[in-house]
Amino acid sequence: RLLIRTWHLGIIKEQIFDEVYFVVFAKNYLSHTTFFDIHPPLGKLIIALPIKLFGDSQFNWRVSQAIFGTALVPLAYFTGKELANRTVGIFSAIIIALDGMLLVYSRTGLMDIFMVFFILLAFFSFFKFANHHKISFLILAGIFLGLATSVKYIAGLTILTFLLIIKVKNVPIKK
């Protein structure tokens, strides 16, 4: 999976699509350059990390996305398994592994793959909470949802889904 996402990752030498914003913003964070950005900083900081550690190259603009995109596959398995069963987990992992859009997001210097990863991690933690009624899983779901929202604000709306599940499934929340 990682090989598919990193094969010739730096072959496209110019910035494509919104890399012209997000990669530049990541570099601005590294150089402490003031700039205007409508999104929170976490996604750009994740992009900036390999640039800081290994240098400014097309591969390093995109390697974090490849790692997060690869990690989505087993995370989808465990989330599907927690939601229903092993079969649903396997089916979920296959869908994530073969989805063309997620493959593109995991090979470009965009932030969406980070948001998707943290949202799915929040769902995994939330389903663990719903199944085991341990408040620590609910706290983790909140932390991961906060991380997703720190990539793009729109991720915060995921909490509405959690609230709906709590209401429909009558999930008890104990102090």
Side-chain angles (χ1 to χ4, degrees):
R1 294 179 303 243
L2 184 61
L3 181 62
I4 291 171
R5 286 170 169 75
T6 57
W7 183 261
H8 291 281
L9 195 58
I11 202 161
I12 299 174
K13 299 299 179 194
E14 59 274 347
Q15 294 171 338
I16 54 173
F17 192 54
D18 279 354
E19 284 182 341
V20 297
Y21 302 112
F22 300 135
V23 172
V24 170
F25 290 169
K27 292 177 190 180
N28 286 343
Y29 278 113
L30 292 173
S31 65
H32 305 288
T33 302
T34 303
F35 63 99
F36 174 76
D37 185 8
I38 62 169
H39 297 295
L42 183 59
K44 278 82 67 185
L45 293 173
I46 296 171
I47 294 170
L49 184 62
I51 295 171
K52 171 93 172 158
L53 294 176
F54 307 113
D56 185 9
S57 71
Q58 295 80 5
F59 182 87
N60 291 334
W61 299 344
R62 302 171 181 133
V63 70
S64 294
Q65 294 82 342
I67 293 167
F68 275 74
T70 300
L72 268 176
V73 177
L75 180 57
Y77 168 76
F78 290 116
T79 304
K81 185 177 173 190
E82 193 64 40
L83 174 64
N85 56 45
R86 186 173 180 266
T87 304
V88 171
I90 291 169
F91 187 66
S92 299
I94 290 170
I95 289 173
I96 295 293
L98 299 178
D99 182 83
M101 193 66 184
L102 289 176
L103 183 61
V104 169
Y105 276 135
S106 66
R107 291 186 48 82
T108 54
L110 306 177
M111 302 186 313
D112 301 80
I113 200 75
F114 308 133
M115 182 182 69
V116 170
F117 178 83
F118 288 126
I119 287 173
L120 191 56
L121 201 50
F123 267 103
F124 172 72
S125 300
F126 182 78
F127 292 144
K128 291 287 274 186
F129 163 72
N131 292 336
H132 303 287
H133 307 293
K134 292 186 180 177
I135 198 73
S136 58
F137 290 122
L138 186 59
I139 292 168
L140 283 173
I143 290 169
F144 296 132
L145 190 55
L147 288 170
T149 305
S150 295
V151 174
K152 285 191 172 183
Y153 292 122
I154 193 73
L157 293 177
T158 305
I159 198 165
L160 297 176
T161 305
F162 293 169
L163 294 172
L164 182 64
I165 292 169
I166 288 170
K167 180 73 175 163
V168 170
K169 290 263 196 196
N170 203 15
V171 177
I173 299 178
K174 300 176 187 173
K175 293 183 181 182

